[in-house]
Amino acid sequence: MPPLDNDAFEATPRPVISRGNTYPAAFELATHQHRRGQLLYASAGTIAITTPYGAWIAPPERAVWIPSGTPHAVRMIGAVMTHSVYIEPEVTGKAGEACRVITVSPLLRALLVEAAEVPREYDPDGRDGMLMALLVEEISRAPRVPLELPLPTDPALASLSARFLEHPNVAEGIDAWAGGLGMHRRSFTRLFRRETGMSFAQWRQQACLLAALPRLAAGDAVTDVALDLGYESATSFSTMFRRALGKPPTDYRAA
């Protein structure tokens, strides 16, 4: 039987549906969107999601919530196995109307794996229906993780930001950015915060953090990652990393 196309799959008459996929390393899904809200979880590998509003990274034990109708592209870092859940807008509950990275608890992980085996047109009043209802509740309750990076919409600032994301360096200064836009430092600072909701220093650090995670997941040495991102030592990088995520970078490298 040929696989269902996305429209037919999403039209399945159930409030919550799920499926799994496998992708080779470096595979990219071009920008697309879903009528339903989507939780994208990689049980193996790391995923990077980009939308018009920002970028999100989901390393192991994390997942990304993508609200209905949100255009997004996905890049696979390493070989990836995903478990996706698609939820009708009227039952998304407290999952939210903005993209976010969430912690995947052992219970949520087990539900995601089990849901991938549930028939598309399951009995909503039976065991499978209860499983899907519990899955939605656990998604709504999952703690948010600060693994996101707002992207500016101002064309000139967006261009500078895109260049920085190609080669992030924590030592790059605000004066260089302001000069590149022909602006005074104070005016640039106001523009940057208005566009991203963050200070330049916060955004720069977050960009470096998100650049580090895929490399750590791929097995790169902490010292190599730290120095490539402009940190003076692995110790200073590890201090920042632990402060941001509550764990040392070696934990993510091991995972």
Side-chain angles (χ1 to χ4, degrees):
M1 178 182 293
L4 283 175
D5 63 35
N6 284 335
D7 289 341
F9 175 76
E10 288 204 62
T12 302
R14 294 295 182 271
V16 186
I17 50 178
S18 176
R19 66 178 173 189
N21 285 297
T22 57
Y23 300 97
F27 186 84
E28 296 190 17
L29 292 172
T31 300
H32 61 288
Q33 62 190 61
H34 303 286
R35 183 181 60 77
R36 297 172 181 244
Q38 178 189 12
L39 184 79
L40 182 55
Y41 167 63
S43 58
T46 296
I47 49 177
I49 291 87
T50 304
T51 80
Y53 319 108
W56 290 261
I57 291 280
E61 308 313 322
R62 305 291 186 267
V64 181
W65 170 251
I66 307 168
S68 61
T70 302
H72 60 283
V74 185
R75 178 167 57 91
M76 314 301 164
I77 301 164
V80 170
M81 178 180 296
T82 64
H83 297 282
S84 288
V85 178
Y86 302 84
I87 307 174
E88 288 285 6
E90 61 267 23
V91 296
T92 53
K94 294 177 285 187
E97 297 181 358
C99 288
R100 61 190 178 104
V101 179
I102 64 171
T103 296
V104 176
S105 67
L107 174 57
L108 179 53
R109 181 173 63 250
L111 291 170
L112 288 165
V113 172
E114 187 69 17
E117 303 300 321
V118 169
R120 267 199 335 276
E121 298 194 20
Y122 55 84
D123 178 4
D125 298 318
R127 179 258 188 189
D128 291 337
M130 290 188 288
L131 185 152
M132 292 303 201
L134 179 58
L135 180 54
V136 173
E137 181 64 22
E138 286 301 304
I139 292 171
S140 299
R141 289 172 172 262
R144 184 172 186 161
V145 181
L147 290 175
E148 60 191 74
L149 187 71
L151 299 178
T153 57
D154 176 85
L157 189 54
S159 178
L160 280 179
S161 299
R163 178 193 57 77
F164 182 83
L165 292 177
E166 291 177 2
H167 302 286
N169 190 305
V170 75
E172 193 163 314
I174 190 171
D175 290 328
W177 282 55
L181 296 180
M183 301 177 69
H184 293 296
R185 181 187 180 107
R186 184 174 297 179
S187 297
F188 173 83
T189 299
R190 287 197 298 265
L191 171 66
F192 198 91
R193 186 173 288 278
R194 185 169 67 246
E195 287 282 318
T196 66
M198 305 172 75
S199 72
F200 176 78
Q202 290 170 329
W203 188 91
R204 180 184 59 192
Q205 176 178 294
Q206 188 75 347
C208 289
L209 178 65
L210 296 192
L213 284 169
R215 292 189 56 184
L216 293 169
D220 287 8
V222 173
T223 298
D224 291 343
V225 174
L227 296 180
D228 287 348
L229 292 173
Y231 286 87
E232 293 183 357
S233 66
T235 300
S236 59
F237 169 74
S238 297
T239 298
M240 176 280 296
F241 197 101
R242 186 188 290 272
R243 187 182 299 123
L245 296 181
K247 294 181 178 181
T250 48
D251 281 12
Y252 283 84
R253 187 170 185 268

